[in-house]
Amino acid sequence: MQNFKYNDLMQKIELEELSTNIEAEAYTQLLAIYLYQDKIADAKFLWKRIPQPLKNDNKELKRLNSVMCTLITNSATKFFKQVDYPWPSNIKQIMDDLFERVRRDVLALVGQAYMSIFEQELMELTNLSRDELKQTCLALDWKYENEDQQTVIIPKRPVSESELTASSEDLLLKLTDFVSFLEN
Amino acid sequence: MASALENYVNNVRTKSSEGNFRIMVEQLNDSVEVLSRYWELLDNVLETLDFQQHSLGVLYVLLVKFNGASSPNVNANLPQMFNLYKEFISQCNGEQVRYATYTYYDLCHMFTSLIVEHPLCIQGIKVVAQAIEKIRLCDSQQTSIHADLCQISLKARCFKTALSFLDVDITTIATTSEVRGQNSNDANNDAKYFLLYYYYGGMIYTAVKNFDRALYFFEVCISTPAAAMSHIMLEAYKKFVLVSLILHGKVLPIPKSSGPVISRFMKPLAQAYHDLGNAYATSTNEELRIVMNKCSETFIRDKNMGLVKQVVTSLYKKNIQRLTKTFLTLSLSDVASRAQLNDAAEAEKYIFNMIKSGEIYASINKKDGMVVFKDDPEKYNSPEMFLKVQKDMAETMDLIRQINKMEEEILLNPIYVKKALGSQEDELTSQHAKSFSGDPTD
């Protein structure tokens, strides 16, 4: 899973936090990782426990907090506005990944939730320009329709790729286990 | 003057090397008073004792030291105390301190109350967790330190460590009362820490929005057998009402297993919360808001305002969910008016978010401004579902095994056997008597 990408760093900082006082930079990294991994509750309480003086002096932390707020209210449009910021090198990569993840999630969700959506709206939701959006939609096989002056996009339901991980022998073994348990 | 302390040190050393821990504990209990007289000199005593070899001796010195530090006129050096405790917990001999479990618990409680208001709090989490690991006999045993861990975690707003403890279901409880017995106060303390564990645990689960488990924790707290109402139970009940509104959309009845005192007194004492529940049942946001504003003083005083607000939001969602049961398609503006939302855009936002979280199944058609509600698309034929079923069954099987094991233990318990046999005999004789008295031929 992609979501485990920064786990090592995360665990390291979490451990440090429990044994010593950590610096603003570590807090920034941890907060960014939580956001990337979509652990909103963790991120929220991390923000609450960061000492007040650190929050006052650190612009990045403040900005991260506003990014977090957009994620809590689940408004993608505002998120793309807030996330556009010259992030320092230690979290640049994480924030880029976060950016990509949110866009991917939004597209997947739109595919699930909409039978049709106005092009303008989708442009705002994904923060893509008209041409970029066109390419993305083409890749996803989403169709365009023209209705009065507005362009409507017809998203396609994402097909959930399902792959059977266990072999049939394995399945049989498990079933035997269940049945023998039930009969005893 | 220091001869008493010297005596103490010598006594601890000889007894520790002899391994006479049981007798030693009795003597140490008596020496607490002596030790507290020489509070300033205790650091010197600690220097002469080894944390590992003389764990019991050190434990009592620390107890007195922490006890003294909690009185307001003493200027205690908190970081130093913190390090002492940390060192002791990591080095002490678990076998030895088990002879004086209650003292060990007391020390942990004192440590908690000392640091809970201090910025060092978050660093205490690991130490207290270690303290639990040292004293408990198995992973599923609950000690009274569990409550301390939860309290510190709540205060520090860092739940990861605590959650790893909370996620394990409790099968046995370590009590102190049977050891100290004569002092009835301790039995109350056991109950207090038991209730606190479930209360704080419920709060932690509520904080991370695991409402299902939170509800269970509050339920355990309010269904604990009791002869009198505890304040902890009352607070747990208030949160129980709120969480069950958020989760189920109604106030769940108090479990039948709770004591009669509880069910009788709980409701009148939490009137504001019941008003909220009644307003919720009408499904009108207006009324819910009126109750919220009317009782806001109570809610704020109980520090439940945040949860109450979540209850209010959840009603919008419940109303939309109800629509899915009646309608197949509905225009966005209709959704807005039926769910008492401001406009179609807001309704769209709610629906969008609810689809994301899997609370409803629907598709929005922006072209016509309509919403199409659907059934749950789960066909129970995917490998994920199979894995889930498999996991659930494995869990259930484990639970059944656990119950069987516990039942076996009870059946083999001599006290239970005696009681069960005794009552059976009673029954036999009384049946006998009845058959005679009711004999028509008589």
Side-chain angles (χ1 to χ4, degrees), chain A residues 15 41-42 47 61 81 86 97 99 116 142 146 167 174 179:
Chain A
L15 271 182
D42 285 353
W47 170 255
L61 271 177
K81 265 185 216 132
D97 284 337
F99 183 85
S116 64
W142 290 5
N146 275 315
S167 70
K174 296 224 165 85
V179 173

Side-chain angles (χ1 to χ4, degrees), chain B residues 128-228:
Chain B
V128 175
Q130 202 183 5
I132 295 177
E133 273 158 15
K134 203 122 207 182
I135 200 80
R136 69 178 174 187
L137 297 169
C138 63
D139 283 353
S140 59
Q141 186 181 42
Q142 190 210 356
T143 66
S144 63
I145 316 172
H146 277 73
D148 291 316
L149 177 67
C150 294
Q151 191 189 1
I152 294 185
S153 300
L154 276 169
K155 202 72 197 172
R157 303 197 170 88
C158 182
F159 306 129
K160 209 153 204 177
T161 317
L163 280 172
S164 66
F165 283 85
L166 290 166
D167 283 339
V168 180
D169 279 320
I170 300 298
T171 55
T172 68
I173 302 165
T175 52
T176 57
S177 50
E178 52 204 70
V179 193
R180 253 192 293 200
Q182 67 275 39
N183 194 343
S184 63
N185 217 357
D186 292 326
N188 285 340
N189 266 342
D190 272 340
K192 175 180 141 194
Y193 287 108
F194 175 83
L195 290 176
L196 275 179
Y197 169 70
Y198 281 100
Y199 177 61
Y200 289 146
M203 281 169 74
I204 290 179
Y205 277 121
T206 317
V208 297
K209 300 224 188 298
N210 187 346
F211 291 124
D212 219 348
R213 186 101 175 139
L215 195 65
Y216 164 71
F217 267 64
F218 291 135
E219 192 183 309
V220 172
C221 192
I222 58 173
S223 59
T224 304

Side-chain angles (χ1 to χ4, degrees), chain A:
Chain A
M1 272 288 275
Q2 274 265 305
N3 268 1
F4 298 127
K5 197 166 168 187
Y6 296 102
N7 259 5
D8 291 345
L9 183 60
M10 180 185 80
Q11 275 159 3
K12 192 178 136 252
I13 301 177
E14 274 175 353
L15 271 182
E16 264 173 33
E17 195 197 358
L18 287 182
S19 39
T20 48
N21 294 324
I22 60 174
E23 298 295 318
E25 272 148 50
Y27 277 125
T28 335
Q29 274 184 321
L30 191 57
L31 195 55
I33 294 173
Y34 280 152
L35 291 183
Y36 167 68
Q37 299 196 343
D38 204 12
K39 292 179 177 159
I40 297 292
D42 285 353
K44 200 171 79 189
F45 286 105
L46 175 63
W47 170 255
K48 284 193 178 174
R49 65 176 184 256
I50 295 175
Q52 198 56 45
L54 284 187
K55 283 195 239 185
N56 292 344
D57 301 345
N58 197 307
K59 279 197 211 102
E60 280 99 35
L61 271 177
K62 275 188 192 159
R63 185 76 182 206
L64 268 178
N65 180 42
S66 18
V67 172
M68 180 171 78
C69 290
T70 66
L71 284 173
I72 290 175
T73 53
N74 206 1
S75 80
T77 324
K78 283 188 199 147
F79 165 78
F80 287 113
K81 265 185 216 132
Q82 291 294 335
V83 84
D84 186 20
Y85 183 83
W87 298 107
S89 57
N90 64 337
I91 57 165
K92 178 92 179 64
Q93 187 60 40
I94 308 175
M95 292 314 282
D96 284 350
D97 284 337
L98 170 69
F99 183 85
E100 283 303 317
R101 175 185 75 77
V102 172
R103 180 174 286 168
R104 216 174 35 238
D105 285 0
V106 167
L107 278 171
L109 190 61
V110 167
Q112 222 177 46
Y114 283 93
M115 290 162 84
S116 64
I117 186 169
F118 295 122
E119 187 187 34
Q120 187 59 38
E121 280 184 325
L122 195 56
M123 274 165 61
E124 276 169 23
L125 272 181
T126 53
N127 195 35
L128 289 166
S129 71
R130 183 155 282 144
D131 292 335
E132 283 169 332
L133 184 65
K134 208 154 214 162
Q135 281 188 347
T136 322
C137 287
L138 218 69
L140 286 165
D141 199 13
W142 290 5
K143 293 197 179 61
Y144 274 68
E145 261 180 33
N146 275 315
E147 185 99 359
D148 306 333
Q149 284 84 35
Q150 283 182 307
T151 316
V152 178
I153 299 175
I154 314 286
K156 212 176 179 184
R157 215 150 244 282
V159 192
S160 59
E161 70 266 25
S162 52
E163 47 193 83
L164 207 56
T165 39
S167 70
S168 47
E169 265 174 51
D170 237 20
L171 295 181
L172 208 58
L173 192 74
K174 296 224 165 85
L175 272 176
T176 333
D177 263 2
F178 289 155
V179 173
S180 73
F181 178 83
L182 285 176
E183 291 195 341
N184 288 325

Side-chain angles (χ1 to χ4, degrees), chain B residues 12-231:
Chain B
V12 166
R13 287 190 161 180
T14 40
K15 285 283 179 344
S16 298
S17 56
E18 285 167 13
N20 265 337
F21 297 120
R22 201 170 295 277
I23 303 168
M24 185 168 151
V25 168
E26 275 166 32
Q27 289 175 345
L28 288 179
N29 275 331
D30 298 334
S31 56
V32 166
E33 205 185 319
V34 182
L35 285 175
S36 43
R37 242 179 279 152
Y38 300 108
W39 197 78
E40 290 82 12
L41 297 172
L42 289 181
D43 282 342
N44 304 342
V45 177
L46 285 178
E47 272 167 30
T48 58
L49 292 172
D50 184 276
F51 278 32
Q52 173 146 36
Q53 277 173 28
H54 315 120
S55 297
L56 272 175
V58 177
L59 174 66
Y60 276 85
V61 176
L62 283 181
L63 181 81
V64 173
K65 203 166 154 56
F66 273 80
N67 203 4
S70 53
S71 60
N73 49 359
V74 180
N75 202 358
N77 178 356
L78 205 64
Q80 188 230 347
M81 304 276 281
F82 183 92
N83 283 334
L84 261 180
Y85 178 78
K86 190 172 158 186
E87 213 176 307
F88 172 71
I89 292 299
S90 66
Q91 291 183 13
C92 75
N93 183 336
E95 292 295 316
Q96 250 186 66
V97 290
R98 259 190 213 114
Y99 284 94
T101 337
Y102 44 90
T103 317
Y104 185 83
Y105 291 160
D106 282 350
L107 179 65
C108 293
H109 300 326
M110 282 177 195
F111 172 76
T112 307
S113 57
L114 204 61
I115 66 155
V116 78
E117 292 295 342
H118 195 270
L120 270 175
C121 194
I122 186 162
Q123 296 176 25
I125 294 177
K126 229 167 70 177
V127 189
V128 175
Q130 202 183 5
I132 295 177
E133 273 158 15
K134 203 122 207 182
I135 200 80
R136 69 178 174 187
L137 297 169
C138 63
D139 283 353
S140 59
Q141 186 181 42
Q142 190 210 356
T143 66
S144 63
I145 316 172
H146 277 73
D148 291 316
L149 177 67
C150 294
Q151 191 189 1
I152 294 185
S153 300
L154 276 169
K155 202 72 197 172
R157 303 197 170 88
C158 182
F159 306 129
K160 209 153 204 177
T161 317
L163 280 172
S164 66
F165 283 85
L166 290 166
D167 283 339
V168 180
D169 279 320
I170 300 298
T171 55
T172 68
I173 302 165
T175 52
T176 57
S177 50
E178 52 204 70
V179 193
R180 253 192 293 200
Q182 67 275 39
N183 194 343
S184 63
N185 217 357
D186 292 326
N188 285 340
N189 266 342
D190 272 340
K192 175 180 141 194
Y193 287 108
F194 175 83
L195 290 176
L196 275 179
Y197 169 70
Y198 281 100
Y199 177 61
Y200 289 146
M203 281 169 74
I204 290 179
Y205 277 121
T206 317
V208 297
K209 300 224 188 298
N210 187 346
F211 291 124
D212 219 348
R213 186 101 175 139
L215 195 65
Y216 164 71
F217 267 64
F218 291 135
E219 192 183 309
V220 172
C221 192
I222 58 173
S223 59
T224 304
M229 176 101 160
S230 140
H231 217 90

Side-chain angles (χ1 to χ4, degrees), chain B residues 375-395:
Chain B
D375 290 332
D376 188 348
E378 182 63 66
K379 298 267 192 307
Y380 299 96
N381 56 2
S382 63
E384 289 87 40
M385 187 40 84
F386 175 74
L387 277 180
K388 190 180 154 5
V389 171
Q390 190 181 310
K391 206 176 118 251
D392 288 356
M393 283 187 65
E395 250 168 49

Side-chain angles (χ1 to χ4, degrees), chain B residues 427-439:
Chain B
E427 255 171 52
L428 279 179
T429 46
S430 65
Q431 265 175 10
H432 226 63
K434 250 186 216 157
S435 72
F436 270 110
S437 61
D439 201 345

